[in-house]
Amino acid sequence: MPFSKSAPPVFEHVSMRPYNTFGLDVEARYFVEINHLQEYIQLLNEGKYAHVKHFFVGGGSNLLLTQNLDALVVKIQLEGIEVVDENDTHIWVNAGAGVVWHDFVQYTVDHHWAGIENLSLIPGTVGAAPMQNIGAYGVEIKDTFDHLEALNLSSLTVERFDAEACQFGYRESYFKHAGKGQYLIASVCFKLAKKHSPKIAYGAIQDVLAAKGIENPGIRDVADAVISIRQSKLPDPKEIGNSGSFFKNPTVSATEAIRLQESFPGIPHYSVPGSTDIKFPAGWFIEQAGWKGYRSGDAGVHKNQALVLVNYGQATGLQIKELSEQIKASVLAKFGVPLETEVNII
Ligand code: EPU
């Protein structure tokens, strides 16, 4: 018999400022924190908040809030890290959706389990990670993802999704498309390796390791290198509000890529595995268009990484959105390349 939990307290007119890394001060009409899935099911069964949209928040690190939320904001705090299986080569580790992503990564690194160390210091929670297949420094979570469990919001049953069902792509998944708004991701299970095969092709990682004189890096060495790179060029949301990369890196056809390379010799570019398309760094376009370090009021473009928009304190979501639109228009005018937003604009 399922254990029962009483519905948790629901608060009204709550400032969202502590719950989004941009530090935007919009108001949630209703707000509830969920520590157990059963609590949320109980709340749904009571039906009191069926008249408003339910808006799930993890770390709030991929959100640009431009208006008050006439909704029930559900802050997911499902905790717990648990080893669920192992064999000679691998270990399966399950984590609650509310576990802070960086804490989870450090836990795996401390236990010498390999696979997600390159994803150190990415803001957000475990449950949000599969939504956009978070990635950095040559690794995406799809590489070690085993499965997740999610509450189907119509049937109130828990469903299991393997990697194929999640339809992972570059910053994409089923949960941003056909499955949008239909599930609450409750936990994620990763298949990590007992033997480390370091992924250090990314130039900046090699530079940090070389500077420290490390030739055969262990899991902790790679994690620490990534942490120092991120700290050197990405603003800490606790100090300056931001949501990491604001735009995706655009992918263009081979023909379009030749046009860009002929017009802008030396433009950095990357091949896309399994495709003839070429990916270009949005940060380069934005910097070349003159935006790096730009500031208007409290909305700005970070001085060390042009892909990151920042809130110096009192910017509104609309001001940041307006800035992002100016950037898009100027990159399109100068390079003929449309930029796509990575953060979720509400
Ligand atoms: N660049 C510039 N100017 C800038 C920023 C970048 O010219 O201001 C060019 C440089 O040529 C640089 C290249 O862009 O070599 C790549 O820059 P960087 O290594 O900083 O990575 P990115 O492509 O800008 C992506 C991810 C980041 C991730 C890094 C490292 C996306 C949208 N962003 O950024 O992810 O940390 O690679 O792997 O794919 C995030 O998603 O929030 C995020 C921070």
Side-chain angles (χ1 to χ4, degrees):
M1 194 180 121
F3 73 110
S4 74
K5 283 263 174 206
S6 54
V10 173
F11 300 93
E12 297 196 32
H13 302 292
V14 172
S15 167
M16 288 294 294
R17 194 194 275 275
Y19 306 109
N20 72 101
T21 58
F22 257 123
L24 297 164
D25 191 14
V26 306
E27 185 183 277
R29 177 70 185 83
Y30 303 102
F31 181 91
V32 66
E33 291 182 347
I34 300 294
N35 294 290
H36 300 273
L37 198 54
Q38 203 58 40
E39 290 178 337
Y40 183 56
I41 294 174
Q42 181 63 31
L43 197 107
L44 292 176
N45 282 333
E46 288 178 6
K48 276 198 242 161
Y49 298 94
H51 63 293
V52 283
K53 191 175 175 303
H54 291 199
F55 185 85
F56 302 128
V57 175
S61 58
N62 206 39
L63 266 186
L64 181 72
L65 297 169
T66 63
Q67 55 188 314
N68 288 335
L69 300 169
D70 188 20
L72 172 67
V73 171
V74 181
K75 170 88 167 70
I76 313 288
Q77 306 212 129
L78 309 171
E79 293 295 330
I81 300 177
E82 188 187 6
V83 171
V84 289
D85 201 1
E86 71 178 298
N87 63 19
D88 289 347
T89 55
H90 288 88
I91 188 138
W92 282 259
V93 190
N94 202 59
V99 173
V100 172
W101 173 259
H102 179 67
D103 294 349
F104 177 59
V105 174
Q106 298 317 293
Y107 184 92
T108 65
V109 169
D110 289 343
H111 286 78
H112 310 287
W113 302 328
I116 53 176
E117 59 278 5
N118 293 43
L119 306 179
S120 292
L121 219 56
I122 294 184
T125 53
V126 166
M131 295 284 295
Q132 57 155 350
N133 180 28
I134 58 169
Y137 307 105
V139 173
E140 292 180 331
I141 67 147
K142 71 169 175 44
D143 307 333
T144 48
F145 176 93
D146 190 76
H147 69 272
L148 62 77
E149 289 193 336
L151 179 72
N152 179 320
L153 299 171
S154 306
S155 64
L156 298 192
T157 53
V158 173
E159 291 178 20
R160 184 182 161 114
F161 288 78
D162 61 14
E164 198 186 335
C166 290
Q167 299 173 15
F168 290 127
Y170 167 57
R171 298 294 194 274
E172 291 293 355
S173 80
Y174 170 76
F175 300 99
K176 278 176 83 173
H177 295 280
K180 191 172 177 178
Q182 295 181 48
Y183 292 91
L184 183 166
I185 295 174
S187 64
V188 187
C189 184
F190 293 87
K191 180 185 175 186
L192 302 174
K194 292 184 173 176
K195 188 170 177 297
H196 187 210
S197 327
K199 301 220 168 37
I200 51 171
Y202 205 90
I205 298 187
Q206 291 181 5
D207 295 345
V208 172
L209 294 172
K212 286 185 176 173
I214 298 170
E215 279 178 14
N216 296 306
I219 303 174
R220 172 50 65 195
D221 296 323
V222 175
D224 284 349
V226 167
I227 289 169
S228 71
I229 297 164
R230 291 190 75 102
Q231 283 173 336
S232 72
K233 64 173 161 185
L234 294 170
D236 179 350
K238 289 194 195 90
E239 287 158 23
I240 304 176
N242 77 91
S243 240
S245 301
F246 196 91
F247 302 100
K248 288 185 185 179
N249 284 333
T251 295
V252 307
S253 68
T255 320
E256 176 67 356
I258 291 168
R259 178 191 72 77
L260 283 165
Q261 285 167 292
E262 283 174 356
S263 308
F264 306 98
I267 183 172
H269 56 279
Y270 315 98
S271 55
V272 177
S275 165
T276 54
D277 289 351
I278 303 289
K279 192 186 275 188
F280 290 87
W284 187 88
F285 291 123
I286 299 169
E287 179 173 348
Q288 297 298 315
W291 291 101
K292 197 169 183 171
Y294 173 88
R295 177 170 178 170
S296 167
D298 271 356
V301 179
H302 190 53
K303 63 179 186 337
N304 296 336
Q305 166 48 297
L307 197 47
V308 177
L309 302 194
V310 294
N311 172 12
Y312 286 101
Q314 302 304 319
T316 64
L318 281 176
Q319 287 166 339
I320 292 169
K321 184 176 176 215
E322 165 75 27
L323 172 60
S324 78
E325 281 165 0
Q326 290 170 357
I327 291 171
K328 272 186 180 178
S330 90
V331 168
L332 185 62
K334 189 167 164 73
F335 300 100
V337 175
L339 292 182
E340 207 183 312
T341 300
E342 201 225 73
V343 304
N344 195 3
I345 301 182
I346 305 294

